Protein backbone atom coordinates (compact mmCIF):
# COMPACT_ATOMS: atom_id res chain seq x y z
CA UNK A 1 0.00 0.00 0.00
CA UNK A 2 3.02 2.36 -0.03
CA UNK A 3 2.04 4.05 -3.29
CA UNK A 4 -1.53 4.70 -2.12
CA UNK A 5 -1.09 5.21 1.61
CA UNK A 6 -3.24 8.36 1.60
CA UNK A 7 -6.22 6.50 0.17
CA UNK A 8 -8.75 4.57 2.28
CA UNK A 9 -9.15 0.80 2.42
CA UNK A 10 -12.56 -0.34 1.15
CA UNK A 11 -14.33 -2.79 3.41
CA UNK A 12 -17.27 -4.41 1.63
CA UNK A 13 -19.91 -5.42 4.14
CA UNK A 14 -20.74 -4.17 7.64
CA UNK A 15 -21.39 -7.53 9.27
CA UNK A 16 -19.31 -8.88 12.18
CA UNK A 17 -16.19 -9.53 10.09
CA UNK A 18 -16.42 -6.31 8.08
CA UNK A 19 -16.77 -4.14 11.18
CA UNK A 20 -13.92 -6.08 12.82
CA UNK A 21 -11.76 -5.28 9.80
CA UNK A 22 -12.62 -1.60 10.19
CA UNK A 23 -11.68 -1.68 13.89
CA UNK A 24 -8.31 -3.27 13.11
CA UNK A 25 -7.66 -0.74 10.34
CA UNK A 26 -8.31 2.13 12.75
CA UNK A 27 -5.93 0.62 15.31
CA UNK A 28 -3.24 0.46 12.62
CA UNK A 29 -3.77 4.07 11.60
CA UNK A 30 -5.38 3.14 8.27
CA UNK A 31 -8.57 4.72 6.96
CA UNK A 32 -11.53 2.39 6.32
CA UNK A 33 -14.33 3.08 3.87
CA UNK A 34 -17.13 0.70 4.91
CA UNK A 35 -19.71 -0.06 2.24
CA UNK A 36 -22.88 -1.87 3.34
CA UNK A 37 -25.64 -2.79 0.90
CA UNK A 38 -28.28 -2.99 3.63
CA UNK A 39 -29.87 -0.12 5.47
CA UNK A 40 -28.02 -0.90 8.71
CA UNK A 41 -24.93 -2.71 9.91
CA UNK A 42 -25.57 -6.44 10.30
CA UNK A 43 -28.48 -6.30 7.85
CA UNK A 44 -28.07 -9.93 6.76
CA UNK A 45 -28.00 -11.25 10.34
CA UNK A 46 -31.05 -9.14 11.12
CA UNK A 47 -33.01 -11.31 8.69
CA UNK A 48 -32.46 -14.30 10.99
CA UNK A 49 -32.52 -12.45 14.29
CA UNK A 50 -34.85 -15.13 15.76
CA UNK A 51 -32.11 -17.79 15.49
CA UNK A 52 -29.86 -18.62 18.44
CA UNK A 53 -26.22 -19.30 17.63
CA UNK A 54 -24.30 -22.39 18.71
CA UNK A 55 -21.40 -20.37 20.06
CA UNK A 56 -21.29 -18.29 23.25
CA UNK A 57 -20.52 -14.59 23.17
CA UNK A 58 -16.82 -15.08 23.87
CA UNK A 59 -16.33 -16.63 20.43
CA UNK A 60 -18.44 -14.01 18.63
CA UNK A 61 -16.59 -10.83 19.64
CA UNK A 62 -13.54 -9.41 17.88
CA UNK A 63 -10.75 -8.13 20.12
CA UNK A 64 -10.15 -4.84 18.28
CA UNK A 65 -13.87 -4.15 18.08
CA UNK A 66 -14.22 -4.81 21.82
CA UNK A 67 -11.35 -2.44 22.60
CA UNK A 68 -13.04 0.27 20.56
CA UNK A 69 -16.39 -0.34 22.25
CA UNK A 70 -15.00 -0.47 25.77
CA UNK A 71 -13.24 2.85 25.27
CA UNK A 72 -16.75 4.30 24.87
CA UNK A 73 -18.11 2.61 28.02
CA UNK A 74 -19.72 -0.44 26.41
CA UNK A 75 -20.24 -3.45 28.67
CA UNK A 76 -19.69 -6.88 27.17
CA UNK A 77 -22.45 -9.52 27.41
CA UNK A 78 -21.96 -12.53 29.66
CA UNK A 79 -19.29 -14.52 27.80
CA UNK A 80 -20.89 -17.94 28.32
CA UNK A 81 -24.36 -16.98 27.08
CA UNK A 82 -25.47 -17.88 23.56
CA UNK A 83 -26.83 -14.88 21.65
CA UNK A 84 -29.69 -14.81 19.22
CA UNK A 85 -28.94 -13.20 15.88
CA UNK A 86 -30.93 -10.18 16.98
CA UNK A 87 -28.85 -9.85 20.13
CA UNK A 88 -25.66 -10.01 18.08
CA UNK A 89 -26.98 -7.07 16.07
CA UNK A 90 -28.58 -5.04 18.88
CA UNK A 91 -25.96 -5.57 21.60
CA UNK A 92 -22.77 -5.64 19.53
CA UNK A 93 -22.95 -4.62 15.88
CA UNK A 94 -25.30 -1.66 16.27
CA UNK A 95 -23.31 -0.11 19.15
CA UNK A 96 -20.10 -0.70 17.20
CA UNK A 97 -21.50 0.88 14.04
CA UNK A 98 -22.81 3.78 16.10
CA UNK A 99 -19.40 4.78 17.43
CA UNK A 100 -18.24 8.06 15.84
CA UNK A 101 -15.05 6.38 14.60
CA UNK A 102 -17.10 3.82 12.65
CA UNK A 103 -20.25 5.79 11.84
CA UNK A 104 -18.31 8.53 10.08
CA UNK A 105 -16.77 5.94 7.77
CA UNK A 106 -19.83 3.73 7.19
CA UNK A 107 -22.04 4.14 4.14
CA UNK A 108 -25.28 2.13 4.21
CA UNK A 109 -27.48 1.53 1.21
CA UNK A 110 -24.21 1.29 -0.71
CA UNK A 111 -24.19 -1.78 -2.94
CA UNK A 112 -20.87 -2.64 -4.54
CA UNK A 113 -21.41 -3.69 -8.15
CA UNK A 114 -17.79 -3.97 -9.34
CA UNK A 115 -14.17 -3.86 -8.21
CA UNK A 116 -11.27 -3.22 -10.58
CA UNK A 117 -7.90 -1.49 -10.84
CA UNK A 118 -8.20 2.20 -11.69
CA UNK A 119 -7.98 2.54 -15.48
CA UNK A 120 -7.20 -1.16 -16.01
CA UNK A 121 -9.16 -4.25 -16.81
CA UNK A 122 -7.81 -7.60 -15.64
CA UNK A 123 -5.71 -8.11 -18.80
CA UNK A 124 -3.36 -5.20 -18.03
CA UNK A 125 -0.21 -6.01 -16.05
CA UNK A 126 2.22 -3.06 -16.18
CA UNK A 127 2.26 -1.14 -12.84
CA UNK A 128 -0.72 -3.17 -11.68
CA UNK A 129 0.49 -3.69 -8.12
CA UNK A 130 0.97 0.03 -7.56
CA UNK A 131 -2.29 1.13 -9.16
CA UNK A 132 -5.20 1.95 -6.79
CA UNK A 133 -8.49 0.11 -6.95
CA UNK A 134 -11.78 1.47 -8.20
CA UNK A 135 -14.88 0.31 -6.34
CA UNK A 136 -18.12 1.08 -8.17
CA UNK A 137 -21.06 1.56 -5.84
CA UNK A 138 -24.79 2.02 -6.31
CA UNK A 139 -25.80 4.40 -3.53
CA UNK A 140 -29.13 4.82 -1.79
CA UNK A 141 -29.65 8.21 -3.45
CA UNK A 142 -29.87 6.45 -6.82
CA UNK A 143 -26.46 7.55 -8.04
CA UNK A 144 -23.66 5.24 -9.05
CA UNK A 145 -20.22 6.48 -8.01
CA UNK A 146 -16.65 5.21 -8.27
CA UNK A 147 -14.47 5.24 -5.15
CA UNK A 148 -10.68 5.14 -5.43
CA UNK A 149 -9.07 3.07 -2.66
CA UNK A 150 -5.68 1.65 -1.77
CA UNK A 151 -6.87 -1.87 -0.95
CA UNK A 152 -10.05 -3.91 -0.80
CA UNK A 153 -11.30 -6.28 1.92
CA UNK A 154 -14.37 -8.11 0.66
CA UNK A 155 -16.39 -9.22 3.70
CA UNK A 156 -19.73 -9.24 1.92
CA UNK A 157 -20.68 -12.77 2.99
CA UNK A 158 -22.85 -15.21 1.09
CA UNK A 159 -26.36 -14.63 2.49
CA UNK A 160 -27.59 -12.96 -0.69
CA UNK A 161 -26.92 -15.99 -2.87
CA UNK A 162 -28.40 -19.29 -1.73
CA UNK A 163 -27.66 -22.59 -3.42
CA UNK A 164 -30.40 -23.77 -5.79
CA UNK A 165 -32.93 -26.46 -4.94
CA UNK A 166 -31.96 -28.55 -7.95
CA UNK A 167 -29.23 -31.13 -8.14
CA UNK A 168 -25.90 -30.76 -9.98
CA UNK A 169 -25.51 -27.21 -8.70
CA UNK A 170 -28.19 -25.91 -11.06
CA UNK A 171 -31.66 -24.55 -10.31
CA UNK A 172 -34.39 -27.12 -10.77
CA UNK A 173 -36.41 -26.68 -13.92
CA UNK A 174 -39.15 -24.20 -13.05
CA UNK A 175 -37.43 -23.03 -9.86
CA UNK A 176 -37.24 -19.41 -11.01
CA UNK A 177 -40.89 -19.24 -12.00
CA UNK A 178 -41.88 -20.80 -8.65
CA UNK A 179 -40.11 -18.04 -6.72
CA UNK A 180 -43.32 -16.83 -5.05
CA UNK A 181 -43.68 -20.30 -3.50
CA UNK A 182 -40.12 -20.34 -2.11
CA UNK A 183 -39.41 -18.68 1.23
CA UNK A 184 -36.24 -17.15 2.65
CA UNK A 185 -33.70 -19.72 3.91
CA UNK A 186 -34.41 -19.15 7.63
CA UNK A 187 -38.01 -17.95 7.98
CA UNK A 188 -39.41 -17.00 11.38
CA UNK A 189 -42.27 -19.48 11.13
CA UNK A 190 -43.62 -18.92 14.64
CA UNK A 191 -43.19 -15.14 14.61
CA UNK A 192 -42.75 -12.62 11.82
CA UNK A 193 -43.59 -15.08 9.00
CA UNK A 194 -46.25 -17.09 10.82
CA UNK A 195 -49.10 -16.19 8.46
CA UNK A 196 -47.25 -17.64 5.47
CA UNK A 197 -46.89 -21.06 7.14
CA UNK A 198 -49.80 -21.62 9.52
CA UNK A 199 -52.18 -24.30 8.27
CA UNK A 200 -50.22 -24.89 5.08
CA UNK A 201 -48.22 -27.71 3.51
CA UNK A 202 -44.59 -26.77 4.06
CA UNK A 203 -41.73 -28.59 2.31
CA UNK A 204 -38.31 -28.15 3.93
CA UNK A 205 -35.41 -29.05 1.64
CA UNK A 206 -31.95 -29.77 3.02
CA UNK A 207 -29.99 -31.82 5.53
CA UNK A 208 -28.26 -29.21 7.66
CA UNK A 209 -29.05 -27.57 10.97
CA UNK A 210 -30.95 -24.81 9.21
CA UNK A 211 -33.36 -27.50 8.04
CA UNK A 212 -33.53 -29.06 11.51
CA UNK A 213 -34.10 -25.66 13.04
CA UNK A 214 -36.98 -24.89 10.68
CA UNK A 215 -38.50 -28.34 11.17
CA UNK A 216 -38.62 -28.01 14.95
CA UNK A 217 -40.07 -24.51 14.68
CA UNK A 218 -42.73 -25.82 12.31
CA UNK A 219 -43.54 -28.57 14.81
CA UNK A 220 -44.11 -25.87 17.43
CA UNK A 221 -46.37 -24.03 14.99
CA UNK A 222 -48.29 -27.22 14.18
CA UNK A 223 -49.18 -27.71 17.84
CA UNK A 224 -51.10 -24.43 17.70
CA UNK A 225 -52.15 -24.72 14.04
CA UNK A 226 -53.00 -28.43 13.58
CA UNK A 227 -53.69 -28.06 9.86
CA UNK A 228 -50.01 -27.31 9.28
CA UNK A 229 -48.38 -30.23 7.46
CA UNK A 230 -44.60 -30.65 7.60
CA UNK A 231 -42.79 -32.31 4.69
CA UNK A 232 -39.05 -32.83 4.55
CA UNK A 233 -36.93 -33.79 1.53
CA UNK A 234 -33.25 -34.79 1.65
CA UNK A 235 -31.01 -35.95 -1.18
CA UNK A 236 -29.29 -38.64 0.85
CA UNK A 237 -30.50 -42.14 1.55
CA UNK A 238 -31.17 -41.27 5.20
CA UNK A 239 -31.40 -38.31 7.58
CA UNK A 240 -28.77 -39.72 9.94
CA UNK A 241 -26.48 -36.75 9.27
CA UNK A 242 -29.08 -34.41 10.74
CA UNK A 243 -29.89 -36.68 13.67
CA UNK A 244 -26.24 -36.71 14.72
CA UNK A 245 -25.01 -38.74 17.65
CA UNK A 246 -27.86 -38.04 20.04
CA UNK A 247 -26.74 -38.27 23.64
CA UNK A 248 -23.28 -39.38 22.47
CA UNK A 249 -22.78 -36.33 20.26
CA UNK A 250 -19.58 -34.45 20.99
CA UNK A 251 -21.62 -31.25 20.98
CA UNK A 252 -24.59 -31.95 23.30
CA UNK A 253 -26.77 -29.12 22.03
CA UNK A 254 -26.36 -30.42 18.49
CA UNK A 255 -27.36 -33.87 19.65
CA UNK A 256 -30.45 -32.46 21.34
CA UNK A 257 -31.58 -30.80 18.14
CA UNK A 258 -30.98 -33.90 16.02
CA UNK A 259 -32.69 -36.09 18.59
CA UNK A 260 -35.78 -33.92 18.57
CA UNK A 261 -36.03 -34.06 14.78
CA UNK A 262 -35.67 -37.85 14.87
CA UNK A 263 -38.48 -38.15 17.42
CA UNK A 264 -40.75 -35.92 15.36
CA UNK A 265 -40.15 -38.06 12.27
CA UNK A 266 -40.72 -41.29 14.19
CA UNK A 267 -43.94 -39.88 15.66
CA UNK A 268 -45.25 -39.00 12.20
CA UNK A 269 -45.19 -35.26 12.86
CA UNK A 270 -42.72 -34.79 10.01
CA UNK A 271 -43.13 -36.64 6.69
CA UNK A 272 -39.58 -37.52 5.56
CA UNK A 273 -38.71 -38.18 1.91
CA UNK A 274 -35.17 -39.52 1.42
CA UNK A 275 -33.23 -39.83 -1.83
CA UNK A 276 -35.25 -36.91 -3.12
CA UNK A 277 -33.03 -35.02 -5.58
CA UNK A 278 -35.25 -32.28 -6.97
CA UNK A 279 -35.41 -32.06 -10.77
CA UNK A 280 -38.32 -29.68 -11.34
CA UNK A 281 -40.94 -27.43 -9.76
CA UNK A 282 -44.31 -26.85 -11.41
CA UNK A 283 -46.25 -23.82 -10.23
CA UNK A 284 -50.01 -24.16 -10.09
CA UNK A 285 -52.65 -21.69 -8.94
CA UNK A 286 -53.07 -23.36 -5.56
CA UNK A 287 -49.67 -24.96 -4.88
CA UNK A 288 -46.34 -26.10 -6.32
CA UNK A 289 -45.55 -29.67 -7.36
CA UNK A 290 -41.96 -30.66 -6.64
CA UNK A 291 -40.65 -33.60 -8.65
CA UNK A 292 -37.63 -35.77 -7.88
CA UNK A 293 -35.28 -37.22 -10.46
CA UNK A 294 -36.88 -40.66 -9.96
CA UNK A 295 -40.36 -39.31 -10.72
CA UNK A 296 -41.76 -39.03 -7.21
CA UNK A 297 -43.69 -35.82 -6.50
CA UNK A 298 -44.58 -33.73 -3.47
CA UNK A 299 -47.31 -31.09 -3.45
CA UNK A 300 -46.61 -28.12 -1.20
CA UNK A 301 -47.92 -24.65 -0.56
CA UNK A 302 -44.50 -23.25 0.30
CA UNK A 303 -40.92 -24.52 0.03
CA UNK A 304 -38.16 -23.63 2.50
CA UNK A 305 -34.68 -23.88 0.88
CA UNK A 306 -32.09 -24.98 3.45
CA UNK A 307 -29.48 -25.77 0.82
CA UNK A 308 -26.59 -23.54 1.87
CA UNK A 309 -24.97 -20.60 0.09
CA UNK A 310 -22.34 -19.70 -2.47
CA UNK A 311 -20.24 -16.55 -3.04
CA UNK A 312 -21.21 -13.77 -5.43
CA UNK A 313 -18.12 -13.50 -7.64
CA UNK A 314 -19.73 -11.37 -10.35
CA UNK A 315 -18.56 -8.12 -8.76
CA UNK A 316 -14.96 -9.38 -8.95
CA UNK A 317 -14.78 -10.20 -12.66
CA UNK A 318 -12.05 -7.58 -13.26
CA UNK A 319 -9.94 -8.71 -10.30
CA UNK A 320 -7.24 -11.32 -10.76
CA UNK A 321 -8.42 -14.07 -8.46
CA UNK A 322 -6.90 -17.45 -7.74
CA UNK A 323 -9.67 -19.73 -6.50
CA UNK A 324 -9.88 -23.38 -5.58
CA UNK A 325 -11.80 -25.06 -8.42
CA UNK A 326 -14.02 -27.04 -6.06
CA UNK A 327 -15.11 -24.71 -3.26
CA UNK A 328 -14.34 -21.30 -4.81
CA UNK A 329 -12.22 -20.25 -1.85
CA UNK A 330 -8.70 -18.77 -2.22
CA UNK A 331 -6.63 -21.50 -3.85
CA UNK A 332 -4.37 -22.29 -0.90
CA UNK A 333 -7.25 -22.25 1.56
CA UNK A 334 -9.57 -24.44 -0.50
CA UNK A 335 -8.00 -27.84 0.27
CA UNK A 336 -7.99 -27.02 3.98
CA UNK A 337 -11.75 -26.40 4.14
CA UNK A 338 -13.14 -28.74 1.48
CA UNK A 339 -16.21 -30.27 3.22
CA UNK A 340 -15.52 -33.57 1.49
CA UNK A 341 -12.60 -34.02 3.86
CA UNK A 342 -12.74 -31.41 6.63
CA UNK A 343 -14.96 -29.92 9.26
CA UNK A 344 -14.21 -26.59 10.89
CA UNK A 345 -12.76 -28.52 13.81
CA UNK A 346 -9.94 -29.65 11.52
CA UNK A 347 -9.22 -26.34 9.74
CA UNK A 348 -5.96 -24.70 10.87
CA UNK A 349 -5.78 -20.96 11.61
CA UNK A 350 -4.92 -18.92 8.56
CA UNK A 351 -4.39 -15.32 7.55
CA UNK A 352 -3.21 -12.98 4.83
CA UNK A 353 -0.71 -15.35 3.23
CA UNK A 354 -3.33 -18.02 2.47
CA UNK A 355 -5.99 -15.45 1.58
CA UNK A 356 -3.87 -13.52 -0.92
CA UNK A 357 -4.77 -13.30 -4.61
CA UNK A 358 -2.66 -12.33 -7.65
CA UNK A 359 -4.04 -8.78 -7.34
CA UNK A 360 -1.94 -7.36 -4.51
CA UNK A 361 -3.81 -5.85 -1.53
CA UNK A 362 -7.09 -7.51 -2.42
CA UNK A 363 -8.56 -10.00 0.05
CA UNK A 364 -11.78 -11.95 0.47
CA UNK A 365 -12.48 -12.63 4.16
CA UNK A 366 -15.24 -14.01 6.35
CA UNK A 367 -17.91 -16.39 5.11
CA UNK A 368 -17.25 -15.43 1.49
CA UNK A 369 -13.62 -16.55 1.82
CA UNK A 370 -14.90 -20.10 2.39
CA UNK A 371 -16.68 -20.09 -0.96
CA UNK A 372 -19.13 -22.98 -1.04
CA UNK A 373 -17.69 -24.67 2.05
CA UNK A 374 -20.13 -24.44 4.98
CA UNK A 375 -17.48 -24.73 7.71
CA UNK A 376 -16.85 -21.08 8.57
CA UNK A 377 -17.05 -19.62 12.07
CA UNK A 378 -16.79 -16.04 13.29
CA UNK A 379 -13.65 -16.59 15.34
CA UNK A 380 -11.88 -17.65 12.14
CA UNK A 381 -13.03 -14.50 10.36
CA UNK A 382 -11.75 -12.28 13.15
CA UNK A 383 -8.30 -13.85 12.95
CA UNK A 384 -8.37 -13.49 9.17
CA UNK A 385 -8.93 -9.73 9.29
CA UNK A 386 -6.39 -9.19 12.08
CA UNK A 387 -3.77 -10.83 9.86
CA UNK A 388 -4.92 -9.11 6.65
CA UNK A 389 -4.84 -5.65 8.22
CA UNK A 390 -1.38 -6.34 9.65
CA UNK A 391 -0.22 -7.24 6.12
CA UNK A 392 -1.73 -4.06 4.68
CA UNK A 393 0.05 -2.07 7.38
CA UNK A 394 3.37 -3.67 6.42
CA UNK A 395 3.69 -5.74 9.60
CA UNK A 396 4.49 -9.06 7.95
CA UNK A 397 5.54 -10.71 11.20
CA UNK A 398 2.16 -10.06 12.81
CA UNK A 399 0.39 -11.06 9.61
CA UNK A 400 2.14 -14.41 9.52
CA UNK A 401 1.72 -15.17 13.23
CA UNK A 402 -1.76 -16.65 13.10
CA UNK A 403 -3.42 -18.49 15.95
CA UNK A 404 -6.92 -19.47 16.86
CA UNK A 405 -8.20 -20.75 20.19
CA UNK A 406 -11.26 -22.95 19.82
CA UNK A 407 -13.13 -25.31 22.14
CA UNK A 408 -11.38 -28.65 22.62
CA UNK A 409 -14.40 -30.42 21.15
CA UNK A 410 -13.97 -28.57 17.87
CA UNK A 411 -16.75 -26.57 16.31
CA UNK A 412 -19.74 -27.07 14.12
CA UNK A 413 -20.40 -24.93 11.09
CA UNK A 414 -23.19 -22.92 9.58
CA UNK A 415 -25.17 -22.45 6.42
CA UNK A 416 -26.68 -19.26 7.81
CA UNK A 417 -23.81 -17.01 6.98
CA UNK A 418 -22.10 -16.69 10.35
CA UNK A 419 -20.76 -18.78 13.19
CA UNK A 420 -22.84 -21.33 15.06
CA UNK A 421 -20.31 -23.33 17.06
CA UNK A 422 -21.04 -24.42 20.60
CA UNK A 423 -18.43 -25.95 22.91
CA UNK A 424 -19.56 -28.81 25.10
CA UNK A 425 -18.60 -26.83 28.19
CA UNK A 426 -21.17 -24.19 27.34
CA UNK A 427 -23.98 -26.73 27.49
CA UNK A 428 -23.11 -28.08 30.91
CA UNK A 429 -25.63 -27.64 33.69
CA UNK A 430 -24.95 -24.88 36.13
CA UNK A 431 -25.35 -21.16 36.62
CA UNK A 432 -23.14 -20.34 33.65
CA UNK A 433 -24.66 -22.86 31.28
CA UNK A 434 -26.26 -20.13 29.21
CA UNK A 435 -27.11 -22.22 26.16
CA UNK A 436 -29.36 -25.02 27.20
CA UNK A 437 -31.60 -23.21 29.64
CA UNK A 438 -35.20 -22.68 28.58
CA UNK A 439 -36.04 -21.89 25.91
CA UNK A 440 -34.26 -24.69 24.14
CA UNK A 441 -31.41 -23.26 22.03
CA UNK A 442 -32.08 -22.93 18.35
CA UNK A 443 -29.14 -24.15 16.33
CA UNK A 444 -28.09 -23.53 12.76
CA UNK A 445 -25.45 -25.08 10.59
CA UNK A 446 -24.23 -28.01 8.56
CA UNK A 447 -23.20 -31.00 10.69
CA UNK A 448 -19.89 -31.93 9.14
CA UNK A 449 -18.66 -33.65 12.29
CA UNK A 450 -15.60 -32.99 14.37
CA UNK A 451 -12.85 -34.91 12.65
CA UNK A 452 -13.86 -35.54 9.07
CA UNK A 453 -15.94 -34.08 6.30
CA UNK A 454 -18.48 -35.85 4.11
CA UNK A 455 -15.92 -38.43 3.06
CA UNK A 456 -15.49 -39.32 6.71
CA UNK A 457 -19.02 -40.60 6.85
CA UNK A 458 -20.39 -37.79 9.02
Amino acid sequence: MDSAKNLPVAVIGAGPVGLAAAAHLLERGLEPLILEAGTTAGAAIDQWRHIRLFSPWRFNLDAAAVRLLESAGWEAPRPTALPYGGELVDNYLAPLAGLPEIASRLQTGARVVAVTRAGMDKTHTRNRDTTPFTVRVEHADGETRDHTVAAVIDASGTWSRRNPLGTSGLPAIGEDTAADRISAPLPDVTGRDRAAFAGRRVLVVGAGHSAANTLTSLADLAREEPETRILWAVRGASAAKVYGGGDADGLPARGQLGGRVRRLVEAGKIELHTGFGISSLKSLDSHVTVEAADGRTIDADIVVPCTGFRPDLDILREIRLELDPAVEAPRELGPLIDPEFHSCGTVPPHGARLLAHPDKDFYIVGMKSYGRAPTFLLATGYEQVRSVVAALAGDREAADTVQLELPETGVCSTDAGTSCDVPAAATAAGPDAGCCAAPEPVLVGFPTGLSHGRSGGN
Side-chain angles (χ1 to χ4, degrees):
M1 286 178 52
D2 289 345
S3 63
K5 61 177 60 177
N6 294 323
L7 294 173
V9 175
V11 178
I12 306 175
V17 176
L19 290 183
H24 282 276
L25 286 165
L26 289 170
E27 281 196 340
R28 290 278 185 174
L30 301 175
E31 180 69 19
L33 169 63
I34 314 162
L35 301 165
E36 167 58 45
T39 57
T40 61
I45 295 177
D46 203 53
Q47 296 184 51
W48 49 269
R49 62 184 297 116
H50 57 288
I51 300 296
R52 186 175 246 171
L53 279 70
F54 271 6
S55 57
W57 271 109
R58 68 178 179 269
F59 293 112
N60 294 319
L61 301 174
D62 172 73
V66 167
R67 288 190 289 269
L68 194 59
L69 282 162
E70 289 181 338
S71 69
W74 176 80
E75 294 185 7
R78 184 161 57 90
T80 54
L82 271 74
Y84 285 90
E87 292 173 322
L88 192 66
V89 173
D90 298 342
N91 300 337
Y92 175 53
L93 298 181
L96 181 58
L99 294 174
E101 300 93 325
I102 298 293
S104 62
R105 297 165 169 92
L106 171 61
Q107 298 186 20
T108 57
R111 181 174 299 279
V112 174
V113 295
V115 182
T116 187
R117 290 282 187 178
M120 296 182 173
D121 65 21
K122 71 193 305 180
T123 67
H124 288 78
T125 300
R126 182 174 297 179
N127 300 322
R128 190 172 187 87
D129 285 354
T130 57
T131 300
F133 292 89
T134 294
V135 180
R136 180 161 293 178
V137 182
E138 293 179 351
H139 288 274
D141 60 8
E143 290 190 10
T144 298
R145 297 192 286 275
D146 287 344
H147 298 263
T148 303
V149 298
V152 177
I153 300 174
D154 185 350
S156 57
T158 58
W159 175 259
S160 64
R161 184 160 293 196
R162 68 165 176 84
N163 285 326
L165 291 169
T167 57
S168 305
L170 302 176
I173 295 173
E175 183 171 340
D176 293 340
T177 57
D180 60 343
R181 294 279 179 182
I182 301 173
S183 78
L186 280 168
D188 186 1
V189 301
T190 60
R192 176 190 61 212
D193 304 315
R194 182 187 182 102
F197 295 89
R200 309 189 77 188
R201 295 169 296 180
V202 184
L203 172 62
V204 177
V205 180
H209 284 140
S210 290
N213 185 33
T214 300
L215 290 165
T216 56
S217 294
L218 284 167
D220 293 337
L221 177 63
R223 283 201 297 268
E224 300 176 6
E225 303 282 353
E227 296 303 311
T228 305
R229 184 180 170 195
I230 309 170
L231 310 164
W232 181 23
V234 298
R235 294 177 184 175
S238 79
K241 182 170 62 174
V242 180
Y243 298 153
D247 293 339
D249 199 302
L251 300 178
R254 183 176 65 185
Q256 291 173 10
L257 179 65
R260 186 181 177 197
V261 174
R262 180 195 291 271
R263 290 190 295 273
L264 288 167
V265 171
E266 292 174 346
K269 305 293 185 182
I270 296 173
E271 183 181 310
L272 173 62
H273 298 262
T274 59
F276 200 94
I278 296 175
S279 62
S280 68
L281 286 82
K282 183 177 182 180
S283 295
L284 304 173
D285 290 340
S286 59
H287 65 278
V288 61
T289 296
V290 182
E291 183 173 355
D294 61 9
R296 287 178 292 158
T297 61
I298 299 174
D299 290 336
D301 298 308
I302 189 166
V303 179
V304 183
C306 299
T307 50
F309 299 86
R310 59 181 58 180
D312 177 5
L313 299 173
D314 291 345
I315 66 172
L316 307 178
R317 286 188 62 85
E318 296 305 321
I319 292 296
R320 293 184 174 182
L321 301 178
E322 195 169 63
L323 299 173
D324 177 83
V327 298
E328 295 179 337
R331 184 176 293 276
E332 290 193 47
L333 178 61
L336 303 180
I337 63 174
D338 190 333
E340 285 290 318
F341 308 103
H342 296 281
S343 75
C344 36
T346 64
V347 175
H350 55 275
R353 195 170 294 278
L354 263 66
L355 296 171
H357 289 278
D359 255 324
K360 186 176 180 290
D361 296 334
F362 173 85
Y363 296 93
I364 302 173
V365 299
M367 187 69 188
K368 188 171 181 176
S369 73
Y370 272 43
R372 300 192 186 195
T375 48
F376 173 76
L377 62 150
L378 275 181
T380 297
Y382 295 151
E383 178 61 7
Q384 286 181 341
V385 295
R386 184 208 59 78
S387 173
V388 164
V389 172
L392 293 176
D395 189 348
R396 179 51 63 181
E397 181 179 359
D400 289 344
T401 305
V402 289
Q403 53 187 328
L404 192 61
E405 295 182 8
L406 298 175
E408 291 183 2
T409 52
V411 292
C412 186
S413 60
T414 181
D415 47 17
T418 187
S419 84
C420 68
D421 45 297
V422 57
T427 65
D432 293 326
C435 71
C436 289
E440 180 176 303
V442 184
L443 313 173
V444 294
F446 187 94
T448 50
L450 298 177
S451 300
H452 306 284
R454 291 193 291 251
S455 295
N458 290 304

